[in-house]
Amino acid sequence: MALIQYLDSNITNFADHIHPDRNFDNLSTDLNYFVSSQDDLVNYLTINEIIKKLNKSWKPVNVIKEVDNIAFRSFENVVEIDCNIIQRRDRSTIYQFISKILKRQPMMHDKHIIVLRNFDGIAMKFQSVYKVLIDKSSLHSCFIVGTRKVGLVHHSVYDICCPIRLRSMNDAQLTALLSKICNQHDISVNLESVIQNCKGDLYTCLIEIEKLHDEDEFDSTYEDLFESAIIDMIKFMKQTKSLEKVIDKIRLTMNKLLHYSLSDGWICGVIIREALKIPKLKKNREECMNIVADSEHRLRSTGKKIFIYEYILLHIYRMI
């Protein structure tokens, strides 16, 4: 069994490792929940754990249904929608889709459980209506709203839910969790090298452990090629005095990265992290942060992202 699927199927057995300061045993459908974590897999697993606590018979569903261009999964009274997998032009209609569901009686239970993963994928101008929807349907529904980017969620939605904000797992927590999983699958790998090379990302760690086990290797040699491409670009900008060559390098690198539909938040995070390693830019930390933060917001409303990234990186190059 794939380790991620194993962890997902047995999440309640590993909950103490993922959120040692939280106990979900007394959750009920009388409240709505807002789940946030900087680790996407931790966010995903925690939401699944909450669903399991609210509906004991629930199990992860792989089949995706589609109605009115809204992709969703359903099991008994649980309806799950990942806002990021729905085309951007259709995300504003998620509200109408949920409204139709709430007009029906839930199957086999007294309340609907509506799960909205990656809620930040809905533009903020369309989010405030969900506060009214959640409030009006409280007698026959329970909402679980999930996101990695709390700052991109309208405060009215956050305020009406019970917040469950999870800290990032530290190396000790991650080692304990991965050790338990490896022991139960008779896997022997160098967990320290895995965690270090995978930057503490749970999903990447589990994939790397599986790969090492399949290839009968002990030490991790994992390298994030996307991250390496950004690091190489920043180094090139630091060492090159030709503006023309820098522009060519930026366009070549960023067009390749954009082809893989990587998260803008992740790309901006790596850019600012690597840029601030340069002594000259450390002195202008606030200006760098403001440029990237302002541009990340603009990236959400443009179809020509390459121009925004050029703007960010050329500003950084000017300050080097």
Side-chain angles (χ1 to χ4, degrees):
M1 178 187 287
L3 297 183
I4 293 174
Q5 291 176 317
Y6 171 77
L7 180 56
D8 190 14
S9 300
N10 298 276
I11 184 59
T12 53
N13 298 330
F14 294 94
D16 289 343
H17 295 286
I18 295 175
H19 48 80
D21 55 343
R22 296 274 186 175
N23 188 314
F24 297 156
D25 288 342
N26 296 319
L27 299 186
S28 76
T29 54
D30 293 331
L31 295 174
N32 302 294
Y33 302 95
F34 186 95
V35 183
S36 60
S37 168
Q38 289 299 306
D39 188 306
D40 283 327
L41 184 56
V42 169
N43 212 329
Y44 177 83
L45 293 171
T46 302
I47 289 175
N48 283 1
E49 182 187 356
I50 293 172
I51 298 171
K52 187 71 175 173
K53 294 291 185 182
L54 299 177
N55 180 342
K56 304 297 184 186
S57 60
W58 179 84
K59 54 187 177 182
V61 177
N62 294 321
V63 178
I64 298 178
K65 305 172 185 177
E66 187 171 318
V67 175
D68 298 333
N69 295 324
I70 303 298
F72 65 98
R73 293 180 172 90
S74 63
F75 180 91
E76 293 182 359
N77 65 326
V78 181
V79 176
E80 301 175 64
I81 299 173
D82 186 338
C83 301
N84 278 351
I85 70 170
I86 296 171
Q87 293 205 31
R88 194 173 294 277
R89 67 172 184 268
D90 296 318
R91 291 179 189 175
S92 60
T93 64
I94 295 174
Y95 173 85
Q96 286 88 351
F97 175 76
I98 296 173
S99 297
K100 291 178 183 177
I101 292 174
L102 296 178
K103 289 177 182 177
R104 310 170 193 155
Q105 286 293 322
M107 291 181 61
M108 304 169 64
H109 298 269
D110 60 338
K111 285 190 176 186
H112 293 284
I113 298 175
I114 307 295
V115 182
L116 297 172
R117 301 183 190 269
N118 296 306
F119 188 71
D120 55 277
I122 299 174
M124 195 173 285
K125 63 182 179 181
F126 296 121
Q127 291 181 10
S128 57
V129 294
Y130 286 86
K131 187 264 184 188
V132 178
L133 180 64
I134 294 171
D135 206 14
K136 285 173 58 178
S137 61
S138 59
L139 293 178
H140 56 277
S141 71
C142 166
F143 279 76
I144 303 173
V145 179
T147 183
R148 192 174 66 85
K149 304 173 183 177
V150 179
L152 296 179
V153 175
H154 198 281
H155 67 87
S156 62
V157 176
Y158 179 86
D159 291 344
I160 204 170
C161 298
C162 172
I164 300 176
R165 299 189 68 168
L166 303 169
R167 300 174 186 172
S168 298
M169 296 176 68
N170 58 38
D171 287 354
Q173 282 178 267
L174 203 50
T175 301
L177 172 63
L178 296 175
S179 295
K180 186 173 180 180
I181 293 172
C182 288
N183 289 338
Q184 294 185 1
H185 288 81
D186 197 24
I187 294 174
S188 177
V189 297
N190 183 346
L191 290 179
E192 184 178 350
S193 70
V194 170
I195 294 170
Q196 181 177 351
N197 289 348
C198 297
K199 305 290 192 299
D201 181 78
L202 179 57
Y203 178 89
T204 311
C205 286
L206 291 170
I207 296 295
E208 177 67 359
I209 289 170
E210 275 192 63
K211 182 175 99 41
L212 292 173
H213 180 63
D214 292 341
E215 297 175 357
D216 199 23
E217 298 286 343
F218 183 71
D219 293 310
S220 170
T221 56
Y222 174 80
E223 179 183 9
D224 189 327
L225 297 179
F226 299 126
E227 186 176 277
S228 296
I230 296 174
I231 293 171
D232 290 344
M233 176 181 63
I234 299 291
K235 285 181 179 177
F236 183 86
M237 290 164 56
K238 181 182 176 183
Q239 297 167 357
T240 306
K241 294 184 178 180
S242 168
L243 177 60
E244 185 178 347
K245 289 182 179 179
V246 167
I247 292 173
D248 287 343
K249 180 67 172 179
I250 289 172
R251 287 177 177 171
L252 179 65
T253 302
M254 295 313 302
N255 276 316
K256 284 183 178 178
L257 293 175
L258 290 172
H259 174 74
Y260 290 96
S261 300
L262 299 171
S263 160
D264 294 317
W266 180 85
I267 293 175
C268 288
V270 176
I271 288 173
I272 195 66
R273 187 192 73 207
E274 294 303 317
L276 291 178
K277 290 179 181 179
I278 301 171
K280 284 185 180 179
L281 294 182
K282 278 186 179 179
K283 297 177 183 178
N284 298 298
R285 179 186 181 90
E286 186 175 348
E287 185 180 353
C288 283
M289 297 289 286
N290 287 339
I291 290 168
V292 174
D294 178 60
S295 299
E296 186 178 355
H297 178 72
R298 290 160 59 195
L299 282 165
R300 296 177 59 82
S301 57
T302 181
K304 297 289 185 180
K305 294 186 177 184
I306 184 65
F307 298 135
I308 306 296
Y309 282 116
E310 281 185 21
Y311 169 81
I312 296 172
L313 292 161
L314 288 175
H315 262 280
I316 290 173
Y317 178 67
R318 175 181 60 82
M319 290 187 286
I320 293 177

